[in-house]
Amino acid sequence: MSTPDERSFLRDAESMYGHEPLSELHHEVEADLGMIAASDAERVVPVSEWLVDPMEVERDEVALRSLLGAVEALEGDPDAHGE
């Protein structure tokens, strides 16, 4: 569920740029989440060989899921599209 601030931000973005960028954002976020899911997080690697801190990946995934939820909420809101 999105907060009023997220909804207002996304509604303003859609009014400035149209519905298409939200659709593109939706696809980009899903692609990023797919890459995170496809990464080999179960492989044990010494800290000295880490390319990215696993905590950063987890934080990014949480942020992406939040953004995806906000976009989906706006896409499903008939008032957001002037309908």
Side-chain angles (χ1 to χ4, degrees), residues 1 8 11-12 15 23-24 28-29 31 33-34 46 48 52 58-59 61 65-66 69 75-76 81-83:
M1 179 173 189
S8 114
R11 187 174 288 121
D12 290 347
S15 70
S23 177
E24 291 174 22
E28 286 180 28
V29 170
L33 286 170
S48 61
V52 179
E58 188 174 328
R59 230 181 350 259
E61 183 177 7
R65 291 193 183 283
S66 177
E75 288 176 334
H81 307 293
E83 296 172 1

Side-chain angles (χ1 to χ4, degrees), residues 8-81:
S8 114
F9 169 77
L10 290 170
R11 187 174 288 121
D12 290 347
E14 185 175 24
S15 70
M16 287 188 292
Y17 303 109
H19 183 65
E20 198 59 34
L22 284 180
S23 177
E24 291 174 22
L25 177 61
H26 189 166
H27 293 296
E28 286 180 28
V29 170
E30 285 182 333
D32 287 348
L33 286 170
M35 287 190 318
I36 288 172
S39 68
D40 193 7
E42 298 300 317
R43 195 178 90 206
V44 177
V45 178
V47 174
S48 61
E49 295 180 24
W50 285 359
L51 297 177
V52 179
D53 184 339
M55 291 301 294
E56 287 182 41
V57 173
E58 188 174 328
R59 230 181 350 259
D60 288 348
E61 183 177 7
V62 169
L64 286 168
R65 291 193 183 283
S66 177
L67 179 58
L68 182 61
V71 170
E72 288 174 346
L74 184 59
E75 288 176 334
D77 184 0
D79 293 335
H81 307 293

